[in-house]
Structure formats: structure tokens, C-alpha cells
Amino acid sequence: MNFYGRDFLRILDFSEEELKYMLAMARKFKEMKKAKQNHKYFPEKNIAILFEKTSTRTRCSFEVAGYDLGMGVTYLDPTGSQMGHKESIADTARVLARLYDGIEYRGFDQKIVDELAEYADVPVWNGLTDECHPTQALGDFMTIEEHFGHLKGLTLAFVGDTRNNVANSLMAMSAKMGVNFIACGPVGLRPSDEIIAKCQPIAEKNDCTITVTDDISILDGRADAIYTDVWLSLGEDSEKWGERIELLKPYQVNMDLMQRAKDTAVFLHCLPSFHDLNTSIARDVKEKYGLDEMEVTNEVFESDKSIVFEQAENRMHTIKSVMFLTLWDPSLGKKSLSEKKPG
Ligand code: CP
Ligand code: NVA
């Protein structure tokens, strides 16, 4: 396996073994962090993290993981760079690659991060696009594996807007890890035929299934994990709230829906989540459409079935693993990793 110098743009770019290795490395880093063991392997490196959309978890995970590995980190906020307005993606990529050892990008079209990766001769990491959210899926599978002690044979059901970026990456990761994947949502928000066609043969090879349905009874006694996400993603027009609420209300994750799943089922959410009225967006939606809770009820969110904060923490450990593996030069030898004195 060789990760050195590679980009991390989508789950489907990596083999089953490579993804498992990334998860194993993340577990190692989590242990090191808990043991307060120094792992500043890259004091000579710097990274740029470029955000064209807002973020809490992803930004902070890249920053903390970067600092923990000993690196310098520059954050460029949604208005803080010239990219797209005054400078092309290709030029931005070539400039940043001269200054930094790795570049994270969060934004809109997948083509942007693909183009950055094409022109930057340092690793580019996808921190979310309209198409996928691969570091999220990695963190989620670390969390599911920690909880159940294994992955293969489990059933993960994504309930809601099943054609969004998070759902796409979860479908790909499920197929790779031998986890049965259920996309349960309204017909109008089905995953694309293209993503299904890419994941289906991988699932078959790994003895698991992909099911796309609008019928929530599919969850009955079957799902080990129920996952949902916001009904309107970053960058989508707020005018769409009305039609989304109409379409997705039957798929709200409430206790009735949770009870359809196995007794041992857990609840996951990439966050941020609209489970109460403690945000300005939730209050606006309440005023316009009368909803107190959206994709998940507060009861489920706060229940002991919910492992959402473990999930949030694991973003950092998995992102650290991705950065470490793509920045670590194996020609320095395996031995040198343990011999190299961090920091
Ligand atoms: N889950 C996630 O990506 O969260 P942020 O938008 O806060 O980064
Ligand atoms: N689907 C959501 C995920 C946020 C982490 C969005 O794109 O806004």
C-alpha cells in the first residue's frame, strides 16, 4: 500500500484494504492522543485549509490534527482567498503547492477539488463538496466499528435526503466495508443512478447489499444504525425549505422510526443538526413552517442511542490518519517512523 503524495478526493478512489488501513491508523492516533503521546511527526511541514463554505467540525479537525502532527496550518475562510474571483483554480493550486505540503478544500462542485488536485503537486484533501464528504464517511465508520466491534454484515440506513453528499460517501464506504446500505427517502431525492451503478458491483464483491426505497418499513428489525442529515445542505437555496419539509417530514428520525430498527440500533448524524430551536435557522423555519424539530427529534438526538458526539470527535482522528498517510514518505523506511523522534 502506498499513500504517499496521493489525494483524498472520494472514497471510491481507495481500495478496501487501503480504507481499512486508514481506519486502523486513526485508531492508533486516537490511542496516542488519549495517552497524551507526542506525535509531532511533521514539524517541517505546513498545510493550507481552504473553505468556500462554513464549517465547525471539518475546519477544527484539520487544524487540530495538523497541530498534533507538528504542522503549521493556514485557514482561508469563504471570503479570504482570491480563488474563483480573481485567480483561477489552476493558478491557486500551483501557488499553494509552492508554499504548502498539503491542501484541504471545502466547497461546491466536485470539479473544483478535482482541478485543485490536478494542478497541485501536493496532496489535496476533500473536506466536502456538493457530491461527497469522504472524510465524514471515514469518521462515521470508525465510530460504527468502535461501537459494534466490527463492520462486516451490519446494516446502515440513511434516512432523508438520500442523494446528498454525505449519503453518497456512506453508500460508497458501506459497499467497500461489506456493510448493507439502505437509502430510505422520497422518490424525488433518490441517489443518482451513476453512484448506485458505481457502488453496486463493489457491494456484490463484498457480500453486502444496497437498497434504495421510499418505504420506511424497510428498517423493521433490520437496521443496526440509523443516520440522517439536514434537509437542506450548505449552498442550497433557502427558498427550498417549504418543498423539502413537505417531502422529508415522513422521514423525520423520531422514536417511532428508531423503534423500527433493531433494539441495539444507534443513531448517527454528521452534524450540525436541527433537533431543537436553539439556532437562528431553526427559529426562522419554525416561524415560517411551524416545525419545532426537523430531521431528528430532540428525544432521539439526546437519547442513549445517539453516538453523534463520538462521531464528531472521530472526524479529527480519521482526518489525521489521512493527512499522515498521504504526507509520510515511506522511502524513509518503516523503522524510521518509530525511531524518528516526534517534535
Ligand atoms: N459534519 C461536518 O462536516 O460539519 P462541519 O460542517 O461543521 O464541518
Ligand atoms: N449535507 C450537509 C452536510 C454538512 C456536514 C451539507 O452539505 O450541508
Side-chain angles (χ1 to χ4, degrees):
M1 267 182 276
N2 187 10
F3 296 94
Y4 182 49
R6 284 175 70 182
D7 304 307
F8 186 77
L9 302 178
R10 48 176 79 67
I11 293 293
L12 291 176
D13 295 342
F14 291 85
S15 71
E16 286 78 342
E17 289 65 36
E18 287 169 339
L19 293 163
K20 283 179 190 159
Y21 194 77
M22 284 177 191
L23 292 178
M25 187 58 86
R27 285 195 296 274
K28 218 177 175 73
F29 276 127
K30 188 168 183 175
E31 280 168 28
M32 288 170 105
K33 178 90 177 171
K34 300 281 171 201
K36 300 195 187 332
Q37 202 178 323
N38 185 345
H39 46 284
K40 295 192 188 308
Y41 287 111
F42 301 136
E44 75 290 0
K45 294 193 193 296
N46 297 296
I47 60 166
I49 58 173
L50 177 54
F51 284 78
E52 295 199 301
K53 288 177 178 171
T54 52
S55 168
T56 297
R57 273 144 294 273
T58 310
R59 178 218 169 148
C60 297
S61 295
F62 271 97
E63 284 210 29
V64 172
Y67 298 139
D68 282 354
L69 289 170
M71 300 193 285
V73 182
T74 303
Y75 168 66
L76 293 162
D77 75 15
T79 55
S81 89
Q82 313 275 28
M83 192 171 93
H85 329 283
K86 224 175 148 184
E87 193 160 33
S88 69
I89 297 158
D91 291 356
T92 307
R94 287 177 290 183
V95 170
L96 292 179
R98 291 287 176 120
L99 303 176
Y100 294 97
D101 300 283
I103 303 163
E104 181 273 357
Y105 172 80
R106 163 174 288 200
F108 297 88
D109 205 317
Q110 179 73 19
K111 285 194 192 109
I112 300 175
V113 75
D114 288 344
E115 195 175 341
L116 272 173
E118 187 187 336
Y119 285 91
D121 57 5
V122 297
V124 172
W125 309 297
N126 181 351
L128 178 148
T129 60
D130 292 342
E131 185 184 303
C132 59
H133 196 2
T135 63
Q136 179 71 50
L138 215 53
D140 298 340
F141 272 65
M142 177 180 185
T143 313
I144 297 170
E145 190 170 23
E146 274 179 350
H147 184 85
F148 290 101
H150 69 287
L151 287 172
K152 205 164 175 59
L154 293 174
T155 297
L156 166 65
F158 184 96
V159 182
D161 179 5
T162 62
R163 36 105 264 178
N164 83 7
N165 41 14
V166 171
N168 285 343
S169 288
L170 289 173
M171 185 193 290
M173 192 67 184
S174 296
K176 293 271 184 183
M177 295 295 108
V179 166
N180 303 306
F181 184 73
I182 299 172
C184 180
V187 175
L189 298 173
R190 266 177 60 102
S192 72
D193 292 341
E194 193 191 341
I195 173 92
I196 299 171
K198 280 183 186 160
C199 295
Q200 198 80 59
I202 301 169
E204 275 165 31
K205 188 180 101 190
N206 293 319
D207 296 322
C208 62
T209 55
I210 294 173
T211 309
V212 178
T213 180
D214 61 347
D215 180 1
I216 58 168
S217 72
I218 188 81
L219 307 172
D220 295 357
R222 195 174 284 138
D224 294 291
I226 302 280
Y227 196 123
T228 194
D229 185 9
V230 288
W231 289 345
L232 202 67
S233 284
L234 286 165
E236 290 193 302
D237 189 348
S238 61
E239 292 294 306
K240 284 197 174 149
W241 270 119
E243 76 179 58
R244 283 294 161 80
I245 289 169
E246 200 61 37
L247 277 172
L248 287 163
K249 220 170 149 217
Y251 299 91
Q252 181 190 62
V253 179
N254 50 38
M255 272 303 171
D256 285 345
L257 187 140
M258 277 309 286
Q259 273 153 15
R260 288 178 174 272
K262 287 186 184 166
D263 292 343
T264 50
V266 290
F267 170 72
L268 293 114
H269 193 308
C270 53
L271 307 181
S273 157
F274 297 122
H275 58 94
D276 57 23
L277 293 175
N278 295 331
T279 63
S280 57
I281 292 182
R283 285 191 293 272
D284 287 351
V285 168
K286 159 86 174 163
E287 205 177 300
K288 263 184 133 168
Y289 306 100
L291 248 61
D292 289 322
E293 303 154 318
M294 284 191 257
E295 74 278 1
V296 57
T297 60
N298 202 45
E299 191 183 6
V300 170
F301 188 90
E302 297 292 356
S303 73
D304 56 8
K305 290 189 168 297
S306 173
I307 53 172
V308 297
F309 295 109
E310 201 61 38
Q311 231 185 313
E313 178 189 326
N314 286 339
R315 297 294 310 287
M316 196 280 287
H317 305 299
T318 41
I319 282 169
K320 191 184 286 175
S321 167
V322 168
M323 289 202 290
F324 176 79
L325 288 169
T326 53
L327 292 174
W328 175 257
D329 180 354
S331 70
L332 298 174
K334 255 196 179 151
K335 238 175 136 198
S336 67
L337 175 56
S338 50
E339 277 172 6
K340 186 178 175 186
K341 245 190 146 23

